[in-house]
Every structure is written in C-alpha cells, then in structure tokens.
C-alpha cells in the first residue's frame, strides 16, 4: 500500500502538488467507511479533471478497484487523461445520504490537494451510486460537479425506499429517518433545479432498478438536450454490456466534450 499524507484542508484548484502521489497506481485517501482510492494518469503533468465513481450497494472503493468489469471504465478514463477517485461514499449502503455526501466532500478535498487538479469534477454512478453521483451535482453539494454519467443508476430515493424492506431499512439507517422526505430525494431536487449535463445508460429489462422511473425519467425531466444522452441497453441489472470498451469510450467522450465547453 502506498501511504500518502492526510490532508485536512482544501485550497481549490491545484497545479503544484501533482508529485504528492505517484501516477499509475491506486492511492488510499480517507479512512474507515469513507476510504477511497485515487489514481492519477501519467499525462497529468500540469492539471487534469477528476472523475468521482460511486459504487453499487454493498460494495466499496476496493471492490471497484478489483473488478475486471469496472476496470474497463476506469482504464478508459485514465487513458483519456482524467484522474479517477473510487469513492467509499461513506459506506457500503449510504444511499446518497447527507452523511455520505459529507464524507465524500472531505475525501474530495483531500484527493484534489494531492495532484494537479484543474478545478473540474465529474461524477459516475453505478446502481445505488447513482443517488450519490446525482446529489453531488446539485446545489448544496460540497464541491461543484460539471456532468453526471449513470449506469443502471438509482436516482429516485423514494422509489428505492418503497421497493423492498431491506432497502427501506438501509435507507432509514443511512438517513437517520424512518421516512426520508422528498426534499432529500435527488430525483426531486434535479427536477426543481433544471437541466444538467447527463449521460444515462440503462435497460428496460432491469428488474432491480426500474429504468423508466429512474434513468429515463431523469433524462426526460432534467437532461440538458445538447450534451450527453440516453442510451438504452438490453439485459439485466449491471450486465456485462454495461462494461464494454464502447460504453467506456462514450463515458470518456462525454466528459471530454464538457471539458471543451469550458
């Protein structure tokens, strides 16, 4: 394991500290349930943007690092010149909660002090991680997010809460509320705050996360029409066709397009 200094402050975009972490390896940032993993591309000589990847239910940053499927996505992002932060999201079942978002905010501040960060952040949410990815792009988040990509992502907290007793218990524990109100629901917040750059992948065959009421509904209600898009795939939840070089290229191209819009 590569040890790095634990940074407690955040002074905004950095261009002087890119030697603080070695390029090409996963470096731990944070601790406990907030433990995350940062990887900086060798091409990040002066400054590069950061992609924060939020994990599925029951997983962790280490799960994503060790996943052959997820590595198809992260390798493409690294190759495209993005630093990648595999987020612990405040725990394996944080469901986009305020506590999880606060933990991610602290990790983001630490991570972006460790390399030549350009000041721009993008989010990628997988399954449950869709809630965290979307919430991080809305007002009140601890750092700005320029665009969100979702793969089979939950975005409607109320729908997730009502879909199964096990999810209801986890969400109640994560939020410290028996019944989280609508104003903590990322889908409701996104509708209220208008169009966002979104790239949404999903399948009508998904029996775990209903695509029509999550990704499709989000795109219809809050997707910025001139960037990103809605990509309909086939097959069940987080199937292998979500982790192909073609999907990875689309995700990287989406973020690169937003980089050019600066």
């Amino acid at each position: 394991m590569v040890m790095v200094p634990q940074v407690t402050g955040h002074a905004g975009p950095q261009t002087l500290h890119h030697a603080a972490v070695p390029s090409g390896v996963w470096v731990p940032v944070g601790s406990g349930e907030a433990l995350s993993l940062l990887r900086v591309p060798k091409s990040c000589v002066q400054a590069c943007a950061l992609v924060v990847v939020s994990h599925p239910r029951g997983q962790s940053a280490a799960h994503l690092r060790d996943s052959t499927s997820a590595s198809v996505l992260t390798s493409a992002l690294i190759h495209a010149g993005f630093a990648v932060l595999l987020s612990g999201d405040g725990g394996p079942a944080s469901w986009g909660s305020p506590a999880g978002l606060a933990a991610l905010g602290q990790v983001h501040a630490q991570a972006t002090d460790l390399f030549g960060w350009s000041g721009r952040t993008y989010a990628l949410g997988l399954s449950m991680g869709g809630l965290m990815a979307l919430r991080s792009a809305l007002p009140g988040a601890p750092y700005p997010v320029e665009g969100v990509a979702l793969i089979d992502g939950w975005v409607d907290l109320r729908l997730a809460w009502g879909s199964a007793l096990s999810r209801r218990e986890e969400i109640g524990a994560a939020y410290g509320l028996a019944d989280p109100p609508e104003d903590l629901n990322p889908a409701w917040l996104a509708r209220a705050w208008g169009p966002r750059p979104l790239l949404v992948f999903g399948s009508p065959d998904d029996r775990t996360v209903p695509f029509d009421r999550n990704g499709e509904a989000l795109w219809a209600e809050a997707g910025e029409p001139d960037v990103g898009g809605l990509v309909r795939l086939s097959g069940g939840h987080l199937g292998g066709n979500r982790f192909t070089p073609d999907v990875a290229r689309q995700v990287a191209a989406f973020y690169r397009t937003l980089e050019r819009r600066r």
Side-chain angles (χ1 to χ4, degrees):
M1 178 178 292
V2 179
M3 300 304 294
V4 299
Q6 294 298 300
V7 181
T8 58
H10 178 54
Q14 299 292 309
T15 58
L16 299 178
H17 300 302
H18 52 272
V21 296
S23 61
V25 298
W26 292 108
V27 175
V29 183
S31 60
E33 291 197 324
L35 180 64
S36 303
L37 295 165
L38 172 69
R39 187 168 178 177
V40 179
K42 294 179 180 179
S43 60
C44 188
V45 176
Q46 293 296 326
C48 56
L50 177 68
V51 177
V52 178
V53 185
S54 290
H55 62 73
R57 177 191 190 193
Q59 295 192 17
S60 64
H63 276 95
L64 293 182
R65 177 198 61 199
D66 297 337
S67 166
T68 302
S69 296
S71 294
V72 174
L73 303 176
T74 56
S75 295
L77 293 171
I78 294 291
H79 182 73
F82 294 98
V84 175
L85 180 69
L86 304 178
S87 170
D89 288 342
S94 58
W95 290 98
S97 68
L101 183 63
L104 176 52
Q106 293 178 343
V107 167
H108 181 277
Q110 294 173 23
T112 52
D113 273 339
L114 295 175
F115 71 99
W117 180 49
S118 69
R120 293 175 69 85
T121 299
Y122 304 99
L124 171 58
L126 310 177
S127 191
M128 182 194 76
L131 289 160
M132 187 68 77
L134 180 58
R135 183 63 191 87
S136 71
L138 298 172
Y143 54 87
V145 169
E146 312 296 337
V148 177
L150 302 170
I151 298 177
D152 289 354
W154 281 107
V155 297
D156 192 323
L157 178 67
R158 295 291 304 167
L159 185 62
W161 183 85
S163 64
L165 179 59
S166 59
R167 295 190 188 111
R168 182 175 301 189
E169 291 174 344
E170 288 179 358
I171 292 168
Y175 282 73
L177 298 167
D179 187 358
E182 192 73 293
D183 61 6
L184 290 177
N185 186 353
W188 183 87
L189 292 169
R191 287 194 295 269
W193 286 100
R196 306 272 155 174
L198 299 171
L199 176 62
V200 180
F201 296 86
S203 168
D205 305 322
D206 191 337
R207 298 294 177 261
T208 300
V209 179
F211 186 44
D212 60 337
R213 300 177 65 187
N214 284 276
E216 278 193 326
L218 176 69
W219 171 253
E221 296 164 349
E224 188 176 313
D226 297 329
V227 66
L230 182 70
V231 182
R232 292 182 177 89
L233 302 172
S234 62
H237 189 66
L238 293 182
N241 61 349
R242 275 67 158 179
F243 303 97
T244 63
D246 182 59
V247 168
R249 282 192 296 269
Q250 289 182 70
V251 174
F254 169 60
Y255 298 140
R256 294 300 302 172
T257 297
L258 295 176
E259 284 283 277
R260 291 192 292 268
R261 291 176 55 177
R262 286 193 284 183

